[in-house]
Amino acid sequence: MYMIRLNRVGEDITACKKAAPLCLVDVVALVIKYIIENNIVESALSGTQGMRSLGFATSWFGNKIWVIRMVDFLHCVSLFLIVYFVCTSIAAVLKELGCEKKALYGQLVWKLQLAASILYMIASFLLKESITSLSARADFAVSVCYIIFLYMSYRVLSTQNKE
């Protein structure tokens, strides 16, 4: 749904269109992570003797943890790029309309997302529970800021379209 919406917004704001395929990358990364973490492929293939040793992606990389970390990295990068493209492109439009404060808020949101993504990657690679908890809270806070920015932008842009 989000990808379709970004594609439609991309008709007016072209940089938003760049974020749409990244949504698909993010969803695929999360599905792969879920499959690996829950041993879904190994469970499905456990009935066949030859496939039992396959171990899905673990046979390619040797360790399931490293595969999950790489997928986490892909998720972080795609999520950051989505927020970056959306925030910078909408902030540029807001700036053209004379809404400097709201445009600056958009710039702040993508920078906060960058910091939260870096914290998440550090937590993922170090496997530190305290950092992971902090990272989840930071990610939640940034998500709230992102939603607020999208709402503020929607209000400004919808009033501009009526005029």
Side-chain angles (χ1 to χ4, degrees), residues 26-127:
D26 191 43
V27 168
V28 169
L30 292 174
V31 168
I32 290 171
K33 181 180 177 184
Y34 179 80
I35 288 170
I36 293 171
E37 281 181 337
N38 294 299
N39 298 320
I40 291 173
V41 173
E42 283 112 356
S43 297
L45 298 176
S46 65
T48 59
Q49 190 67 8
M51 292 294 199
R52 195 175 300 174
S53 63
L54 178 65
F56 190 54
T58 56
S59 65
W60 297 335
F61 300 102
N63 189 340
K64 195 182 291 192
I65 296 294
W66 286 105
V67 176
I68 292 171
R69 287 179 183 172
M70 285 188 285
V71 172
D72 273 343
F73 179 77
L74 180 64
H75 164 67
C76 276
V77 170
S78 62
L79 183 62
F80 165 71
L81 289 174
I82 291 166
V83 172
Y84 174 78
F85 285 135
V86 171
C87 286
T88 56
S89 59
I90 292 176
V93 172
L94 291 172
K95 196 172 187 178
E96 287 177 17
L97 295 174
C99 300
E100 288 288 327
K101 270 187 157 179
K102 290 178 175 69
L104 286 173
Y105 187 72
Q107 297 296 331
L108 175 67
V109 169
W110 77 257
K111 291 173 185 172
L112 289 172
Q113 181 62 51
L114 176 63
S117 295
I118 290 170
L119 183 63
Y120 182 83
M121 284 189 271
I122 290 170
S124 175
F125 280 96
L126 295 178
L127 294 175

